[in-house]
Amino acid sequence: MRLNLLISFLTCLVFAQAATLPKDEKVRYDNHVVYKINYSNALQRELILKLVERHQSFSLWSETATELDLMVSPNAIEEFKKQLSIANTTAEIFIPNVQALIDTETVANTRAAESFGWTRYNTLAEIEEWLDEIFIIYPAVTEEIIIGQSYEGRTIRGIKISYKEGNPGVFIESNIHAREWITSATATWFINELLSSDDELIREIAENYDWYIVPVLNVDGFTYTHEKDRLWRKTRQPISTSSCIGTDPNRNFDVHWMENGGASSNPCAEDYAGPNPYSEPEIKAMSDYLNSVSSKVNVLLAFHSYSQLLLSPYGHTPDEFPDNYNDLLQVAKAYADAVEALPYGTVYRYGSAASVLYTASGATNDYAYQQGIEIAYTVEMRDRGAFGFVLPPAFIIPNAEETLVGIIALLSECEKLGYLALK
Ligand code: 0X9
Ligand code: ZN
Ligand code: ZN
């Protein structure tokens, strides 16, 4: 073998995981384990996060002020245990085999495709077909909205629901993170309720607000999660300076972009902010669209999973809070209380994103807040790590019901506090 060939062969090996996935083959997560790590000080957290930074074998699934959910590939479990003991902390196995979980989901997906019944997760094509039917069935009160084009050339579509003139507006962004499938499943269920339910409380919110709903914002990433890698998070635009692909779209808005370590400058990181704000066409389009309607929008909710949290601004610093922070807490409490009162008893916690979670700048709800939408949350849906991103389809409807009663309570609290006057 000639030397340059050998070198390129070796280079290929190094990047094998990232770049050379054979056509029609999916990334597999056999015996990948998700651990929940309890930590009590910054040093322990640092030690674990260093692992994620340095090795492909570790992937951070979720982080709160006291817990880290970490996926570890089988070859790195020994190393992981060593680091745990160096950090003087312990971990509990939450998901023993991620691939097994993904396989269950796939089986559920192929069975009886009858209708859009929210008993399984749908592909982008299925969601769009369903949306097209909705426009045909409810032409008087629905309207297609076009957010723009993705990097790979897909059209990002949404729906506006309006029963009359002069309503305050509510914007819902969903599936900006590709693997967070529960969000688009919930958003589509919610659209269906607004249009077809005869429950009095639902009719009330359906008809007295204008709804702008984007079920799948990250269309390229979402497609990639169905076709190649169930756990993909970012966009799919390559980065000229790296072999890694994609930017974290929820770090790409021009709002305190890259400040305070609220995002990574490493293109291989899951929270890579992109080379500059709005480097991602999806986020440029989303921000342009939001600006075009922001004078009519009173509330913005960005749907995410998982951790069961309502996160208000700010994301870029834990030390400063918005002027109306007390109201934001009160409104979030109303949401959380309403959710917990359901028979499922699901608990949501709330607070500013940077104080409850971690510093994360450039996110949709912070951008919305900066643009004058004073009620703006990131909603982190089910669960708290038992299934994480691979939440079985049986939980779609329970999660969606919770979201619905949460939103009803949120709007009623906003109304009381005077946030729903026509802008
Ligand atoms: O990190 C994120 O983008 C969100 N969590 S997720 O696990 N779904 O990725 C949290 C965003 C919190 N909101 C703000 N920082 N504004
Ligand atoms: Zn700033
Ligand atoms: Zn997310």
Side-chain angles (χ1 to χ4, degrees):
M1 201 184 282
R2 287 206 319 261
L3 186 63
N4 59 348
L5 260 184
L6 180 68
I7 289 170
S8 61
F9 174 70
L10 288 175
T11 324
C12 256
L13 271 186
V14 172
F15 292 115
Q17 245 220 319
T20 56
L21 192 67
K23 231 177 177 291
D24 303 328
E25 218 169 275
K26 289 190 181 183
V27 176
R28 293 189 59 86
Y29 293 93
D30 296 289
N31 300 313
H32 283 54
V33 179
V34 179
Y35 292 91
K36 195 177 277 290
I37 307 159
N38 288 297
Y39 70 95
S40 48
N41 64 58
L43 202 67
Q44 293 174 326
R45 173 176 178 268
E46 276 309 304
L47 275 168
I48 303 296
L49 293 187
K50 275 274 169 334
L51 282 179
V52 180
E53 221 172 275
R54 295 209 190 119
H55 310 273
Q56 293 272 332
S57 311
F58 301 97
S59 161
L60 188 65
W61 272 32
S62 166
E63 176 183 356
T64 66
T66 55
E67 291 172 350
L68 295 166
D69 292 357
L70 187 71
M71 181 172 75
V72 182
S73 66
N75 64 304
I77 287 177
E78 281 320 303
E79 171 69 11
F80 171 64
K81 290 184 173 159
K82 222 168 77 194
Q83 293 299 325
L84 269 184
S85 86
I86 292 173
N88 194 22
T89 182
T90 55
E92 200 182 325
I93 293 181
F94 258 52
I95 305 175
N97 181 353
V98 172
Q99 187 60 45
L101 199 52
I102 292 174
D103 290 344
T104 330
E105 187 181 57
T106 314
V107 171
N109 248 356
T110 47
R111 202 188 305 136
E114 354 75 61
S115 71
F116 205 90
W118 294 277
T119 54
R120 63 187 188 94
Y121 290 106
N122 294 288
T123 62
L124 183 64
E126 288 168 332
I127 291 173
E128 291 200 41
E129 246 172 70
W130 173 83
L131 203 55
D132 285 330
E133 281 166 33
I134 290 287
F135 293 131
I136 292 170
I137 306 173
Y138 303 98
V141 294
T142 66
E143 183 188 315
E144 179 181 20
I145 57 184
I146 304 287
I147 305 301
Q149 304 290 123
S150 71
Y151 169 73
E152 288 176 347
R154 296 184 176 86
T155 300
I156 303 164
R157 307 167 68 200
I159 183 170
K160 180 179 176 187
I161 301 174
S162 178
Y163 279 80
K164 61 179 166 62
E165 302 263 301
N167 283 335
V170 182
F171 200 110
I172 295 177
E173 173 209 86
S174 156
N175 240 165
I176 188 176
H177 284 144
R179 62 191 172 190
E180 297 166 10
W181 285 7
I182 186 61
T183 62
S184 50
T186 298
T188 49
W189 186 88
F190 186 76
I191 292 167
N192 189 57
E193 288 298 303
L194 290 180
L195 293 168
S196 69
S197 170
D198 29 357
D199 179 283
E200 202 179 315
L201 290 172
I202 301 174
R203 294 269 36 89
E204 148 84 26
I205 63 160
E207 294 175 19
N208 293 308
Y209 299 93
D210 279 2
W211 295 89
Y212 302 82
I213 304 177
V214 184
V216 183
L217 179 62
N218 183 0
V219 286
D220 294 352
F222 185 69
T223 303
Y224 196 76
T225 59
H226 278 273
E227 293 177 356
K228 291 286 179 191
D229 182 355
R230 176 63 184 86
L231 297 177
W232 191 258
R233 164 180 169 97
K234 300 193 281 181
T235 59
R236 290 295 303 163
Q237 178 166 231
I239 295 122
S240 63
T241 55
S242 171
S243 65
C244 288
I245 288 181
T247 288
D248 185 343
N250 209 34
R251 300 290 183 281
N252 198 239
F253 287 89
D254 195 1
V255 53
H256 304 280
W257 184 79
M258 276 291 286
E259 278 176 31
N260 290 342
S264 175
S265 57
N266 172 5
C268 298
E270 293 282 35
D271 62 343
Y272 176 51
N276 49 268
Y278 303 132
S279 58
E280 304 315 286
E282 300 82 3
I283 299 311
K284 174 77 176 95
M286 172 63 192
S287 116
D288 287 347
Y289 185 82
L290 193 60
N291 291 345
S292 77
V293 295
S294 63
S295 66
K296 297 179 282 187
V297 171
N298 304 55
V299 175
L300 175 133
L301 303 175
F303 283 0
H304 287 253
S305 69
Y306 59 94
S307 289
Q308 296 166 202
L309 298 167
L310 259 106
L311 303 167
S312 75
Y314 297 123
H316 71 286
T317 168
D319 305 320
E320 282 168 51
F321 299 90
D323 289 341
N324 65 335
Y325 189 52
N326 284 335
D327 290 351
L328 285 164
L329 290 175
Q330 188 176 325
V331 170
K333 181 179 191 305
Y335 187 112
D337 288 349
V339 170
E340 196 174 350
L342 287 178
Y344 308 116
T346 304
V347 174
Y348 271 68
R349 292 171 303 136
Y350 50 88
S352 87
S355 68
V356 173
L357 208 55
Y358 42 76
T359 304
S361 56
T364 308
N365 72 310
D366 282 307
Y367 180 68
Y369 190 83
Q370 176 181 269
Q371 297 308 105
I373 301 171
E374 289 181 278
I375 302 291
Y377 297 95
T378 303
V379 184
E380 297 275 5
M381 299 172 172
R382 288 194 188 199
D383 56 11
R384 294 205 44 208
F387 300 104
F389 303 113
V390 197
L391 189 71
F395 296 109
I396 295 173
I397 289 176
N399 182 79
E401 289 170 349
E402 287 169 352
T403 308
L404 173 64
V405 307
I407 291 176
I408 291 172
L410 173 146
L411 289 174
S412 130
E413 203 65 22
C414 286
E415 181 78 65
K416 279 187 217 157
L417 292 170
Y419 283 98
L420 298 178
L422 201 58
K423 288 176 94 182

